[in-house]
Amino acid sequence: MTNGDGDRGAPDAGGSTPVIEERRYQVSDDERVTYESGSKPAEGDSLVAERESEPRSLRQRVQTALEIIRANPTGRIALKIIVAVVGAVVVLVGLALIPLPGPGWLLVIAGLGVWAIEYHWARRLLTFTRRNVHAWTRWATRQSWPVRLLLGAVGLVFVSVVVWLSLKFSLGIDLVANALHYLATH
């Protein structure tokens, strides 16, 4: 037992016994704890965890690790800070890459996924984004081939215009003018 001063088992200044904070971690359904002897434990028997099915998934292991970190007040605050900083870096890099060719939107969504570990608003926004992307994908796959080709062409034109404008205004390179000049001189 510890009181606020860190003394084990000593009563606090008011003379009362300190409150013990007990932390319990749940064991998943695919793990069962049994005793080595198969019967009730004798003093000194050690516990052995037996797995009845395949090993736990990475998602379950990460979830358990996050629960253990959140059980400690310092860990909870540190986790919030780390998630906020890492998510912000990923989102900012993604936002910087949106006008350039590259995985800009993918990184923004990945940053939302990082934030969703700790923040409810990011979880809701990520769910909204997934739902709309899936709805768009389902709608596009139901369309005929000519409509799909038209959608692809519009997307290609959009990306080309974004790249052209990004290069023109950020780096001062006008690809259209350079291409027209090249065609006129050769």
Side-chain angles (χ1 to χ4, degrees):
M1 290 189 298
T2 63
N3 61 13
D5 300 330
D7 296 335
R8 272 188 143 339
D12 56 5
S16 63
T17 5
V19 178
I20 300 173
E21 182 179 328
E22 188 173 320
R23 295 185 182 127
R24 296 179 187 226
Y25 302 102
Q26 292 186 349
V27 178
S28 63
D29 291 339
D30 63 345
E31 292 182 349
R32 182 178 14 152
V33 177
T34 58
Y35 295 98
E36 286 180 349
S37 62
S39 61
K40 291 191 174 187
E43 197 162 329
D45 276 351
S46 62
L47 296 176
V48 177
E50 295 179 355
R51 298 195 185 266
E52 293 181 353
S53 62
E54 72 261 1
R56 293 179 358 175
S57 70
L58 176 63
R59 184 180 196 133
Q60 290 170 331
R61 285 185 277 167
V62 167
Q63 191 65 33
T64 303
L66 289 174
E67 288 173 7
I68 292 171
I69 292 170
R70 287 182 187 122
N72 182 344
T74 306
R76 186 173 35 254
I77 292 170
L79 182 64
K80 279 197 178 284
I81 292 170
I82 290 169
V83 165
V85 169
V86 170
V89 168
V90 173
V91 167
L92 289 175
V93 168
L95 288 174
L97 290 178
I98 285 175
L100 301 173
W105 284 111
L106 185 63
L107 285 176
V108 170
I109 293 171
L112 274 177
V114 171
W115 277 338
I117 293 172
E118 278 298 307
Y119 301 104
H120 187 65
W121 62 267
R123 200 171 305 126
R124 286 193 323 257
L125 185 58
L126 188 61
T127 302
F128 172 79
T129 304
R130 278 187 194 152
R131 186 173 49 244
N132 286 321
V133 166
H134 286 305
W136 167 259
T137 305
R138 282 192 308 271
W139 179 83
T141 56
R142 287 193 312 260
Q143 304 307 312
S144 64
W145 278 104
V147 173
R148 285 189 196 176
L149 288 174
L150 179 65
L151 288 173
V154 168
L156 186 61
V157 167
F158 175 76
V159 169
S160 301
V161 168
V162 167
V163 168
W164 171 62
L165 289 173
S166 297
L167 290 174
K168 182 176 181 177
F169 292 115
S170 64
L171 299 176
I173 301 171
D174 190 358
L175 291 177
V176 174
N178 289 346
L180 290 175
H181 177 71
Y182 179 79
L183 290 175
T185 56
H186 288 70

